[in-house]
């Protein structure tokens, strides 16, 4: 690892000095204060959140063939319940249609003969987890993340892309024999109906909100870049955002009282590829401007262009969306940005820049969104990589009003009690801190379930653990 991971900084002063080199406004508080900013209540979706931690959606590639939860799925939801995070944002990606499943084991409404029962099981497991820790019933506000994987659909294993438009770089990176199957306007509208049907199941099961997933390269995110598409869902921003806005309106009218959130990739970068000589990631070569990304400058595609993202946030707020879970890029084409990590997954590349600088890009995106459209509630991403210093940076961002909630992904796989420990003023248990080994991504990229194989004793004992270890890139072993 050519960049010092946070755990190597022995004192807060040393760590702060590195943060300041990245950006003078990148700060960490002295310590997490009991009753401080992270413990402040926040009204959302008609309820009051008791703290400022959110659990990010984390799927496990572990549903059964019908798209129903298995014991592994329910264990993960139970642990989300144990975390004490006041907001459970989405739980995990829930495919609204078979052809939109990201893998054959993704939870799915269309393939499940009894979705109501499956969703009740997920909520039951979550509540069991929080009750086991002595939390009041219904102490967590819980949403379900609805998705169609679009270009990255793999309902039977191999890639079976359903795309909104032709994307030269991504088609080079992910070649497909039959070529991409472009979705017609009528097909898009049919998919939107399935989103609404899934929202209804979530509402009836007792979820407080749904997340209309528009991030990470999946269909609703891809549509936001469909400048080259003609017709009502391509071209201008108003057209590109039309399906998402129609969906918000439909969910609000069909499911009164159900909150609506959107997980949004606010900005992006050019797609990256591995430089075979060095193993390090590099942007794919491009001739001419890059018009196929969202929140990225066409002429200078290494820079954030906030104009359209800010306009979209305003549109979403006006449509009745209350909260945005902010993320960046995609785990497929720029994983170093989407989930900053010290070690790449088996199909990844070594980080082309200090992952701490990528963490700052997440923080900066949230700051800009909050400053531009403060009426929305924002969940930030990018905190897991901070490891020992997660609490002090998180407290600084919330205390300064830069973001409302601290979203945690991988950290909750290895150490679900971290929010509880930090809120109680305890020092984080270093043995359980996620060290961003990426094994939880390597597993599913090679057809296995996901889990924290190195640090969660339950997954360490599973047969996949040795296979995942053998697949680690050389840079890690
Ligand atoms: C194993 C795994 C599963 C994930 N599943 C989802 C998912 O279902 N939906 C989603 O929006 N993001 C998903 N993500 C992305 C995370 O929610 C989060 O954005 C990412 O891990 C960065 O946050 P972190 O640095 O706290 O881990 C997943 C990430 C991992 C590693
Ligand atoms: S496998 Fe565990 S330690 Fe590695 S990135 Fe995933 S959660 Fe973190």
């Amino acid at each position: 690892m050519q960049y010092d991971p946070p755990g190597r900084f022995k004192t807060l002063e040393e760590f702060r000095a590195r943060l300041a080199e990245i950006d003078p406004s990148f700060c960490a508080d002295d310590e997490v204060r009991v009753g401080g900013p992270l413990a402040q209540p926040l009204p959302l979706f008609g309820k009051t959140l008791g703290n400022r931690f959110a659990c990010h959606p984390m799927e496990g590639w572990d549903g059964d063939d019908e798209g129903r939860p298995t014991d592994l799925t329910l264990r993960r939801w139970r642990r989300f319940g144990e975390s004490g995070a006041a907001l459970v944002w989405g739980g995990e990606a829930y495919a609204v249609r078979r052809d939109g499943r990201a893998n054959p084991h993704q939870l799915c409404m269309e393939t499940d003969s009894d979705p109501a029962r499956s969703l009740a099981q997920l909520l039951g497991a979550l509540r069991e987890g929080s009750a086991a820790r002595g939390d009041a019933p219904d102490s967590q506000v819980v949403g379900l993340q609805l998705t169609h994987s679009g270009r990255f659909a793999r309902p039977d294993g191999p890639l079976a892309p359903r795309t909104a438009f032709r994307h030269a770089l991504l088609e080079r990176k992910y070649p497909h024999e039959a070529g991409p199957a472009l979705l017609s306007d009528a097909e898009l509208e049919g998919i939107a109906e399935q989103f609404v049907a899934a929202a209804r199941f979530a509402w009836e099961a007792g979820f407080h909100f749904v997340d209309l997933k528009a991030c990470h390269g999946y269909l609703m995110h891809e549509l936001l870049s469909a400048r080259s598409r003609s017709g009502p869902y391509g071209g201008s921003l108003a057209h590109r955002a039309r399906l998402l806005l129609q969906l918000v309106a439909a969910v609000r009218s069909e499911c009164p009282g159900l909150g609506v959130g959107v997980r949004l990739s606010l900005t992006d970068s050019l797609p990256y590829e591995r430089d075979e000589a060095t193993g390090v990631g590099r942007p794919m070569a491009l001739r001419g401007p890059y018009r196929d990304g969202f929140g990225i400058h066409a002429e200078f595609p290494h820079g954030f262009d906030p104009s359209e993202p800010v306009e979209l946030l305003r549109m979403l707020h006006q449509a009745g969306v209350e909260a945005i879970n902010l993320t960046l890029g995609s785990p497929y084409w720029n994983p170093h940005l989407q989930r900053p990590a010290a070690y790449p997954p088996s199909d990844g590349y070594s980080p082309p820049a200090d992952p701490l600088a990528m963490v700052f890009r997440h923080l900066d995106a949230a700051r800009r969104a909050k400053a531009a459209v403060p009426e929305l509630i924002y969940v930030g991403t990018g905190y897991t990589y901070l490891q020992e210093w997660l609490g002090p940076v998180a407290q600084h961002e919330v205390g300064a009003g830069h973001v409302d909630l601290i979203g945690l992904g991988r950290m909750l796989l290895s150490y679900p009690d971290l929010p509880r420990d930090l809120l109680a003023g305890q020092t984080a248990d270093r043995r359980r801190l996620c060290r961003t080994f990426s094994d939880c991504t390597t597993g599913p990229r090679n057809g296995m379930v996901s889990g924290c194989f190195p640090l969660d004793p339950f997954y360490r004992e599973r047969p996949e653990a040795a296979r995942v270890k053998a697949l680690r890139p050389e840079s890690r072993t």
Side-chain angles (χ1 to χ4, degrees):
M1 171 66 186
Q2 73 194 103
Y3 303 102
D4 282 336
R8 284 220 193 117
F9 294 89
K10 295 294 168 228
T11 66
L12 182 58
E13 289 324 309
E14 279 175 37
F15 185 61
R16 277 181 173 150
R18 177 65 192 128
L19 299 186
E21 279 169 8
I22 291 169
D23 190 283
S25 71
F26 195 173
C27 294
D29 281 359
D30 289 340
E31 58 183 5
V32 176
R33 295 197 305 279
V34 176
L38 294 172
Q40 296 312 306
L42 182 74
L44 183 63
F45 300 130
K47 311 228 348 148
T48 300
L49 303 175
N51 61 56
R52 300 305 187 94
F53 283 105
C55 174
H56 277 322
M58 299 287 288
E59 64 176 310
W61 288 258
D62 52 15
D64 70 9
D65 292 342
E66 261 197 42
R68 296 173 301 201
T70 60
D71 288 349
L72 289 180
T73 325
L74 297 176
R75 177 183 187 266
R76 190 170 50 262
W77 281 67
R78 202 171 300 118
R79 282 159 66 93
F80 291 162
E82 288 169 11
S83 73
L87 182 65
V88 178
W89 185 286
E92 66 186 271
Y94 181 73
V96 302
R97 260 173 47 155
R98 186 184 182 284
D99 70 357
R101 273 173 115 177
N103 63 79
H105 294 288
Q106 188 168 49
L107 302 188
C108 179
M109 177 186 74
E110 194 183 53
T111 53
D112 186 344
S113 51
D114 194 352
R117 178 171 178 271
S118 299
L119 295 184
Q121 281 181 322
L122 297 176
L123 273 184
L126 189 90
R127 288 178 180 145
E128 221 177 84
S130 84
R133 292 310 177 92
D135 292 341
D138 231 13
S139 60
Q140 290 175 307
V141 172
V142 191
L144 184 67
Q145 181 179 61
L146 308 182
T147 189
H148 185 292
S149 294
R151 186 178 291 278
F152 295 98
R154 293 175 179 271
D156 299 306
L159 200 63
R162 306 300 322 272
T163 59
F165 68 99
R166 304 298 306 262
H167 191 304
L169 290 185
L170 291 182
E171 285 170 32
R172 207 162 85 208
K173 190 169 168 68
Y174 291 98
H176 186 256
E177 283 168 22
L182 285 176
L183 287 157
S184 67
D185 295 342
E187 284 176 310
L188 287 177
E189 285 153 11
I191 290 172
E193 281 170 24
Q194 300 282 84
F195 268 84
V196 179
R200 182 177 281 282
F201 275 117
W203 182 47
E204 287 167 358
F207 282 84
H208 302 109
F209 72 105
V210 284
D211 162 23
L212 306 174
K213 182 175 189 177
C215 63
H216 301 167
Y218 299 115
L219 183 60
M220 289 294 157
H221 179 216
E222 173 163 282
L223 269 169
L224 297 176
S225 312
R227 293 183 186 79
S228 60
R229 184 184 174 100
S230 54
Y233 301 111
S236 67
L237 179 62
H239 281 204
R240 285 178 272 134
R242 189 193 298 265
L243 198 71
L244 184 58
L245 293 169
Q246 282 172 347
L247 250 179
V248 175
V251 170
R252 292 188 72 218
S253 99
E254 295 281 317
C255 312
L258 181 69
V260 183
V262 171
R263 190 158 205 218
L264 177 67
S265 286
L266 192 76
T267 172
D268 211 336
S269 77
L270 278 172
Y272 271 61
E273 63 188 359
R274 181 184 155 92
D275 178 332
E276 291 307 329
T278 63
V280 177
R282 63 171 182 215
M284 291 178 80
L286 170 81
R287 263 176 251 117
Y290 181 58
R291 301 199 194 285
D292 293 339
F294 181 69
I296 167 170
H297 205 291
E299 302 294 336
F300 310 101
H302 299 287
F304 178 23
D305 181 352
S307 48
E308 286 199 342
V310 165
E311 188 52 34
L312 178 66
L313 291 173
R314 289 203 185 100
M315 291 172 174
L316 291 170
H317 172 62
Q318 272 166 17
V321 170
E322 283 179 64
I324 304 287
N325 183 321
L326 289 167
T327 172
L328 305 180
S330 159
Y332 300 106
W333 66 71
N334 48 21
H336 70 286
L337 172 65
Q338 195 273 323
R339 53 185 75 154
Y343 304 96
S346 59
D347 63 343
Y349 47 76
S350 297
D354 187 340
L356 274 176
M358 299 301 108
V359 171
F360 186 71
R361 297 231 354 223
H362 281 267
L363 268 47
D364 183 52
R367 292 175 180 191
R368 288 173 188 244
K370 188 74 195 167
V373 191
E375 301 83 3
L376 285 162
I377 297 294
Y378 296 96
V379 180
T381 297
Y383 290 89
T384 287
Y385 183 76
L386 292 163
Q387 305 170 26
E388 277 82 351
W389 313 106
L390 188 158
V393 174
Q395 180 177 280
H396 178 269
E397 293 302 296
V398 172
H402 292 323
V403 74
D404 299 293
L405 288 136
I406 302 302
L408 299 179
R410 292 162 297 177
M411 189 59 83
L412 295 188
L413 296 185
S414 68
Y415 187 178
D417 317 272
L418 182 72
R420 204 177 282 284
D421 286 354
L422 290 177
L423 289 165
Q426 288 172 20
T427 311
D429 179 350
R430 300 190 74 223
R431 293 162 308 173
R432 301 178 72 196
L433 289 173
C434 166
R435 299 297 181 186
T436 63
F437 293 135
S438 293
D439 289 358
C440 51
T441 305
T442 291
R445 291 285 157 84
N446 292 278
M448 291 171 259
V449 297
S450 177
C452 183
F453 296 103
L455 300 182
D456 178 350
F458 175 85
Y459 280 93
R460 207 185 290 142
E461 296 307 316
R462 283 188 60 90
E464 295 91 350
R467 287 172 60 204
V468 169
K469 193 169 178 193
L471 284 160
R472 281 177 190 159
E474 284 159 27
S475 57
R476 159 82 206 279
T477 45

